[in-house]
Amino acid sequence: MTDTLKPIHVIGGGLAGSEAAWQIAEAGVPVVLHEMRGVPGVKTDAHNTDGLAELVCSNSFRSDDWEHNAVGLLHAEMRALDSLIMACGDAHQVPAGGALAVDRDGFSQAVTAKLEAHPLVTIVREEIAGLPPEDWDNVIVATGPLTSPALAAAILDLTGEDALSFFDAIAPIVHADSIDFDIAWRQSRYDKEGPGGDAAAYVNCPMDKAQYEAFIDALLNGPKAEFKEWENVPYFDGCLPIEVMAERGRETLRHGPMKPVGLTNPRDPMVKSHAIVQLRQDNALGTLFNMVGFQTKLKHGAQAEVFRMIPGLQDAQFARLGGLHRNTFLNSPKLLDRQLRLKAMPRLRFAGQVTGVEGYVESAAMGLLTGRLAAAERLAKAGLGRPLEAPPAHTAMGALVEHITGGHLEGPGGISKFQPMNINYGLLPPLEAPKVDEAGVKIPLKERGRAKKRLMSIRALEALKAWRG
């Protein structure tokens, strides 16, 4: 009977759109996935291929620790719901300490192949310029931070809202054989093993105080990319360009991506480095490494010169230099309901970064959720099931929905302070951890914090299991 169902349309073949299409098809509902990359003359400012689910910034899905990290919890929830993105990520992982990082090309190719092979998925290479046709009664807009101008303008005209926007910067990628391992060494912070079992997944480049100070001066004085039409657009704090961090204080980087803690230089273990630059494997072959936290808006001509000041990278060859692109997102608390439908036109759902979540995993999770919501709605209207509510707020996915649809603060005069958000335990309802152990001995605060996170994660997975049914 599902053969007679009208298809659901998904606009955008990124992480969110690909996941949404997969979930719809796996529910037994036909889906048409529209992707403008691949159309002659059509491209975005950040993508390099026409592959589905292309990773345009880092290759990391961040921590895979479901017990003590909210991102790892989100991984676990998505795996429990048969996520295509997580399955392909797991199949194409590369060493990354406690994180799940993937071979970006192999990952994208796997997602593309899975969707192309699914009998209920039709992939159409075309740009949707403007609002979708009126006879498309169930649509997911997953166009991400680089929504085509025509579609963005149509949405803004429909809602009467100004889009918020911020800059997102891309980190450089270095050829592994150009790293000087007489200076650099391999070690994960605190020797922590990742999902691949590697406790030495990162390359570390040490700096003494003089080298660090000279590097900060070069960052501050280097020529920056300027985009006058984007002036006064706020950066997202989770993905700041490295020189913007340096502008906030000369010690900022030493307490951020260049912090020297949890690492020991095997050549001089008694001397503590003043700062350390880390690089993470970027492809399965181990031939490329990206500079962790080194998103940048330095002009290309200056990047190689400045980054070769880093000990161990003095002869670095760059497979890709850093870059900058603009992200846009909706004022979702005002515009979207808890089904992530546009209040002004409920046939349109939104998924991914455009809703105000930040990060690969969060975007894919919202694609997963909207796919399930849209499929359930289609099946219910055909008398083949019941509508589906969003997951409870105790789950990581439910917490993201809460943030998107109303978890923000308002400033004076009711002005929205809604900003993009990564998943974190602060978005989940609080839970009190025990303060004393079974013997009545007081548990240290740090241990209580870890115990609390674990309890919140267990609660989340139990709530998700009940929601899934």
Side-chain angles (χ1 to χ4, degrees):
M1 186 173 180
T2 57
D3 293 341
T4 63
L5 289 173
K6 191 175 180 180
I8 295 171
H9 294 265
V10 177
I11 304 173
L15 291 166
S18 296
E19 185 68 70
W22 178 259
Q23 295 292 329
I24 293 166
E26 287 290 278
V29 179
V31 57
V32 181
L33 177 60
H34 305 264
E35 172 52 54
M36 69 180 184
R37 287 178 296 117
V39 177
V42 177
K43 64 177 184 177
T44 74
D45 293 332
H47 293 90
N48 294 312
T49 76
D50 60 5
L52 301 176
E54 179 186 342
L55 305 181
V56 300
C57 188
S58 168
N59 70 322
S60 176
F61 289 175
R62 310 194 326 273
S63 175
D64 202 49
D65 178 3
W66 72 267
E67 293 182 292
H68 305 108
N69 188 287
V71 178
L73 170 60
L74 193 54
H75 289 181
E77 291 186 5
M78 293 173 69
R79 289 184 178 114
L81 296 174
D82 302 317
S83 163
L84 172 66
I85 295 302
M86 290 307 303
C88 292
D90 288 337
H92 292 273
Q93 68 174 262
V94 297
L100 172 61
V102 305
D103 177 327
R104 66 178 71 233
D105 293 330
F107 167 77
S108 175
Q109 290 164 7
V111 172
T112 303
K114 284 280 191 179
L115 288 169
E116 288 178 340
H118 201 294
L120 292 179
V121 176
T122 301
I123 300 172
V124 179
R125 298 287 181 167
E126 64 177 356
E127 179 180 358
I128 305 301
L131 291 176
E134 291 185 7
D135 63 333
W136 294 7
D137 63 340
N138 195 332
V139 181
I140 295 174
V141 180
T143 48
L146 300 171
T147 300
S148 70
L151 178 56
I155 294 169
L156 294 179
D157 183 61
L158 176 66
T159 62
E161 287 287 318
D162 291 332
L164 304 176
S165 56
F166 59 96
F167 287 119
D168 199 6
I170 300 172
I173 294 177
V174 177
H175 288 282
D177 59 8
S178 69
I179 300 171
D180 184 352
F181 283 97
D182 287 334
I183 297 174
W185 76 95
R186 292 179 180 267
Q187 182 189 6
S188 297
R189 204 176 297 280
Y190 299 109
D191 299 310
K192 185 174 182 180
E193 292 185 2
D198 189 351
Y202 290 79
V203 172
N204 302 282
C205 299
M207 281 186 174
D208 60 27
K209 190 174 189 302
Q211 291 166 334
Y212 177 80
E213 292 295 339
F215 180 71
I216 295 298
D217 288 337
L219 279 181
L220 295 175
N221 296 326
K224 316 297 190 301
E226 300 292 340
F227 299 91
K228 293 183 179 179
E229 66 273 24
W230 295 352
E231 287 177 352
N232 300 318
V233 180
Y235 294 106
F236 171 55
D237 278 351
C239 198
L240 285 174
I242 189 168
E243 57 278 355
V244 173
M245 286 189 272
E247 290 169 358
R248 294 185 173 185
R250 298 185 68 88
E251 292 292 291
T252 302
L253 292 174
R254 290 189 63 241
H255 297 279
M258 296 175 67
K259 59 181 178 287
V261 300
L263 299 165
T264 301
N265 189 337
R267 296 178 186 86
D268 201 351
M270 300 304 295
V271 176
K272 182 178 176 62
S273 299
H274 189 72
I276 293 176
V277 174
Q278 287 197 307
L279 295 91
R280 179 180 54 234
Q281 187 173 328
D282 199 76
N283 66 340
L285 294 175
T287 57
L288 299 175
F289 279 73
N290 66 63
M291 300 176 68
V292 178
F294 267 59
Q295 300 87 359
T296 181
K297 63 171 186 172
L298 282 172
K299 288 186 176 180
H300 280 185
Q303 285 186 38
E305 180 180 351
V306 172
F307 294 143
R308 284 176 183 146
M309 296 175 65
I310 299 169
L313 299 185
Q314 64 272 11
D315 299 314
Q317 297 297 312
F318 296 91
R320 183 191 71 188
L321 291 169
L324 189 69
H325 60 273
R326 178 181 177 175
N327 284 351
T328 57
F329 60 95
L330 297 170
N331 186 4
S332 295
K334 184 174 181 180
L335 301 181
L336 303 182
D337 66 15
R338 281 187 52 79
Q339 287 271 322
L340 301 181
R341 294 175 299 204
L342 192 66
K343 295 175 184 177
M345 187 175 283
R347 68 185 178 97
L348 303 183
R349 275 186 175 83
F350 285 81
Q353 226 168 302
V354 72
T355 64
V357 297
E358 175 63 21
Y360 289 152
V361 182
E362 291 87 340
S363 296
M366 292 301 96
L368 185 156
L369 181 56
T370 54
R372 285 184 167 240
L373 294 172
E377 181 180 288
R378 174 67 87 222
L379 291 168
K381 287 183 177 179
L384 299 173
R386 295 180 298 175
L388 185 65
E389 297 296 326
H394 296 86
T395 65
M397 282 197 290
L400 285 172
V401 173
E402 289 291 323
H403 169 70
I404 290 170
T405 59
H408 71 299
L409 299 174
E410 289 190 353
I415 298 174
S416 175
K417 295 178 67 177
F418 178 65
Q419 287 288 321
M421 182 70 74
N422 294 117
I423 185 62
N424 61 81
Y425 284 108
L427 295 182
L428 279 68
L431 185 152
E432 190 68 30
K435 295 182 179 180
V436 296
D437 61 19
E438 295 179 356
V441 179
K442 186 176 180 180
I443 301 173
L445 186 62
K446 185 176 181 179
E447 292 183 22
R448 291 207 304 267
R450 284 179 58 81
K452 178 179 178 179
K453 289 176 180 178
R454 186 173 185 277
L455 289 173
M456 292 175 75
S457 292
I458 292 172
R459 179 185 66 178
L461 293 178
E462 290 176 347
L464 185 77
K465 183 177 180 180
W467 174 80
R468 182 183 59 189

